């Protein structure tokens, strides 16, 4: 289980005060820097209220070392983010580190994790005596061994705010696409065999339908906001109940029992962290509780669903359809039964695949690292429990 710290208004004020205190204390150190707040995505409820510091003109003093996997490629830092990162850090790739361990090991204060890389194992942690923080670019940290990392006195941070809008959008896109059978429609419209438009099926409307959201963190709440605009009835289940005013703002009803949510929803959307507790949270029993007309939407992690049970439920009409941005594994083997089913839509884990989200993730990760290195309150720390 993990807990993510989000800042309240009072904490944000505290953060600002702490920042002023620290920055004046270390003013000579910072005097040559021009610090600009680059964040624009934390203006709403749920926001950290923290600031991302874009430091300019720091060339004269040595920048803190941050270990990255590589630049470019599937698991590397995006080329377009390199200049921004270089304003804050001395970027050291894993390859450079292995080539020049003796000189670099003391210099590396943080690791920037992008798309699960670099792999943070005991060997790497033991070789980095000055390491203070592992900054994950993304919200899910199931690829990190939180206990192991914390046993080295190293903090872990993530970027729940940067990912929230884009991931909520994918949830809505999948729900609408499944309800209106967009993929089949697209196929008919573009197929070379189509001579006239003959659609022998109908979709359903999401308007006034009931959406059950399992997991009401930053992303779940953004989904609820969007669903409210579609006049949906909203049920939600979360470990911690939201404040009454937050529930009212989106018209969401809390279900203490997941069973009530499953039985009452036309669409069930999964937005939880993957932890031992949520592994296969949706199995045969849970699918059987859902309406035969219901659709399951997964935008968190594939392993939250028992996929064998899902295949059976979809084949046997236990539920109507599934729309999945995540599977286990990714991608699925090409002969996986989920890929053969007509009532399934699968996208390749694109919850945060937008220009804006990726940039904000990098900014939020930088903000977290800066906070740890400067002993400021950390906007998004992940605490192992
Ligand atoms: O932020 C994350 O954890 C993601 O999975 C991005 O889609």
């Amino acid at each position: 289980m993990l807990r993510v710290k989000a800042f309240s208004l009072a904490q944000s004020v505290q953060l600002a005060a702490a920042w002023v205190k620290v920055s004046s204390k270390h003013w000579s150190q910072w005097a040559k820097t021009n610090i600009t707040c680059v964040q624009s995505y934390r203006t709403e409820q749920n926001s950290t209220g923290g600031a991302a510091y874009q430091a300019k003109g720091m060339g004269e003093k040595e920048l803190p070392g941050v270990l990255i996997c590589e630049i470019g490629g599937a698991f590397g830092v995006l080329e377009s983010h390199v200049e921004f990162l270089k304003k804050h850090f001395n970027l050291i790739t894993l390859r450079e580190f292995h080539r020049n361990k003796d000189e670099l090991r003391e210099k590396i204060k943080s690791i920037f994790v992008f798309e699960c890389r670099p792999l943070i194992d005991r060997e790497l942690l033991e070789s980095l005596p000055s390491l203070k923080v592992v900054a994950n670019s993304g919200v899910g940290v199931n690829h990190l061994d939180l206990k192991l990392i914390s046993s080295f006195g190293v903090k872990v941070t993530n970027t729940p705010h940067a990912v929230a809008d884009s991931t909520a959008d994918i949830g809505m896109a999948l729900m609408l696409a499944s309800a209106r059978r967009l993929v089949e429609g697209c196929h008919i419209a573009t197929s070379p065999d189509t001579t006239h438009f003959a659609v022998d099926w109908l979709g359903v409307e999401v308007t006034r339908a009931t959406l059950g959201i399992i997991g009401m963190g930053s992303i779940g709440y953004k989904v609820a906001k969007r669903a409210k605009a579609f006049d949906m009835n909203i049920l939600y289940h979360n470990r911690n109940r939201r404040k009454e005013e937050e529930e009212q703002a989106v018209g969401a009803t809390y279900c203490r029992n997941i069973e009530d949510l499953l039985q009452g929803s036309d669409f069930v959307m999964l937005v939880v962290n993957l932890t031992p507790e949520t592994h296969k949270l949706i199995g045969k029993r849970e699918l059987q509780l859902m309406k035969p007309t219901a659709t399951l939407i997964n935008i968190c992690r594939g392993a939250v669903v028992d996929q064998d049970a899902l295949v059976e439920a979809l084949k046997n009409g236990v539920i109507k359809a599934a729309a999945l941005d995540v599977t286990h594994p990714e991608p699925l083997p090409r002969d996986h039964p989920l890929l053969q089913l007509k009532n399934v839509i699968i996208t390749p884990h694109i919850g945060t695949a937008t220009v804006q989200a990726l940039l904000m993730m990098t900014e939020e990760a930088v903000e977290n690292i800066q906070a740890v290195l400067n002993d400021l309150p950390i906007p998004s720390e992940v605490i192992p429990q």
Side-chain angles (χ1 to χ4, degrees):
M1 291 248 285
L2 54 93
R3 184 160 62 84
V4 175
K5 261 204 247 165
F7 284 171
S8 67
L9 184 62
Q11 285 170 311
S12 307
V13 171
Q14 214 189 341
L15 170 76
W19 169 245
V20 168
K21 203 168 143 204
V22 170
S23 59
S24 54
K25 189 168 147 210
H26 297 295
W27 186 244
S28 57
Q29 182 191 344
W30 286 88
K32 293 198 179 76
T33 70
N34 168 12
I35 295 160
T36 329
C37 179
V38 292
Q39 116 296 20
S40 58
Y41 54 98
R42 296 192 189 81
T43 49
E44 297 180 53
Q45 195 172 10
N46 280 336
S47 75
T48 63
Y53 306 112
Q54 187 177 26
K56 291 187 191 141
M58 292 180 80
E60 287 156 50
K61 79 179 188 68
E62 192 168 6
L63 298 173
V66 62
L67 185 70
I68 58 172
C69 189
E70 56 189 275
I71 293 174
F75 299 105
V77 165
L78 293 191
E79 308 237 9
S80 54
H81 296 185
V82 168
E83 279 316 304
F84 171 71
L85 283 167
K86 276 187 172 167
K87 287 180 180 150
H88 302 273
F89 307 113
N90 181 12
L91 299 188
I92 298 159
T93 63
L94 203 55
R95 202 170 306 156
E96 282 162 358
F97 172 64
H98 285 304
R99 266 204 308 257
N100 204 356
K101 249 186 193 166
D102 289 345
E103 199 205 311
L104 294 174
R105 60 201 296 272
E106 296 285 350
K107 295 193 174 168
I108 294 171
K109 302 269 191 304
S110 50
I111 304 180
F112 180 88
V113 180
F114 181 76
E115 300 278 351
C116 317
R117 304 284 169 88
L119 175 71
I120 318 285
D121 56 10
R122 180 176 289 281
E123 196 188 335
L124 184 64
L125 290 163
E126 278 172 353
S127 63
L128 294 171
S130 302
L131 188 67
K132 299 265 180 303
V133 51
V134 170
N136 187 59
S137 169
V139 67
V141 289
N142 50 291
H143 51 287
L144 297 174
D145 185 338
L146 298 179
K147 286 214 172 101
L148 175 74
I149 297 170
S150 112
S151 73
F152 281 79
V154 172
K155 296 201 180 297
V156 173
T157 63
N158 67 352
T159 63
H161 306 288
V163 304
D165 283 311
S166 61
T167 312
D169 285 350
I170 276 293
M172 294 303 287
L174 284 172
M175 178 168 64
L176 287 162
S178 181
R180 300 301 301 271
R181 301 175 73 159
L182 222 63
V183 175
E184 285 158 275
C186 193
H187 185 71
I188 291 171
T190 59
S191 163
D193 302 331
T194 300
T195 51
H196 60 283
F197 285 171
V199 171
D200 59 0
W201 41 258
L202 295 174
V204 293
E205 294 184 24
V206 303
T207 309
R208 286 178 289 281
T210 299
L211 169 64
I213 302 172
I214 301 183
M216 197 57 138
S218 313
I219 302 171
Y221 197 75
K222 295 269 184 179
V223 169
K225 276 186 163 177
R226 285 155 174 71
K228 181 180 179 346
F230 280 82
D231 285 336
M232 298 189 80
N233 305 310
I234 302 166
L235 305 177
Y236 81 97
H237 173 81
N238 200 41
R239 255 178 309 145
N240 303 314
R241 186 173 177 170
R242 285 261 176 181
K243 290 191 195 115
E244 207 179 320
E245 59 268 29
E246 290 173 332
E247 289 180 353
Q248 277 168 7
V250 293
T253 304
Y254 182 61
C255 293
R256 189 169 301 283
N257 299 318
I258 204 167
E259 289 79 7
D260 296 340
L261 179 145
L262 293 168
Q263 282 167 337
S265 300
D266 301 304
F267 298 89
V268 173
M269 198 176 300
L270 304 175
V271 203
V272 292
N273 291 312
L274 174 61
T275 65
E277 287 72 23
T278 61
H279 185 254
K280 295 198 179 171
L281 178 73
I282 303 297
K284 186 173 175 185
R285 185 185 84 91
E286 290 70 28
L287 291 160
Q288 278 172 347
L289 287 171
M290 287 171 66
K291 297 182 189 180
T293 51
T295 297
L296 181 73
I297 300 136
N298 190 1
I299 56 170
C300 57
R301 287 293 180 268
V304 168
V305 176
D306 177 341
Q307 282 179 175
D308 294 340
L310 179 62
V311 168
E312 285 311 304
L314 288 163
K315 274 187 182 163
N316 300 328
V318 173
I319 65 168
K320 184 175 134 200
L324 314 168
D325 186 43
V326 286
T327 56
H328 184 71
E330 287 171 359
L332 288 172
R334 297 297 89 183
D335 59 351
H336 194 282
L338 270 178
L339 302 182
Q340 323 304 327
L341 295 173
K342 279 207 150 161
N343 48 352
V344 178
I345 297 176
I346 304 184
T347 49
H349 199 148
I350 51 172
T352 55
T354 68
V355 174
Q356 293 88 343
L358 287 178
L359 181 59
M360 290 190 294
M361 283 154 70
T362 299
E363 289 173 358
E364 198 172 354
V366 168
E367 179 183 342
N368 283 320
I369 298 174
Q370 299 279 32
V372 174
L373 299 187
N374 291 294
D375 272 337
L376 290 167
I378 306 162
S380 301
E381 182 178 357
V382 183
I383 298 164
Q385 288 187 338

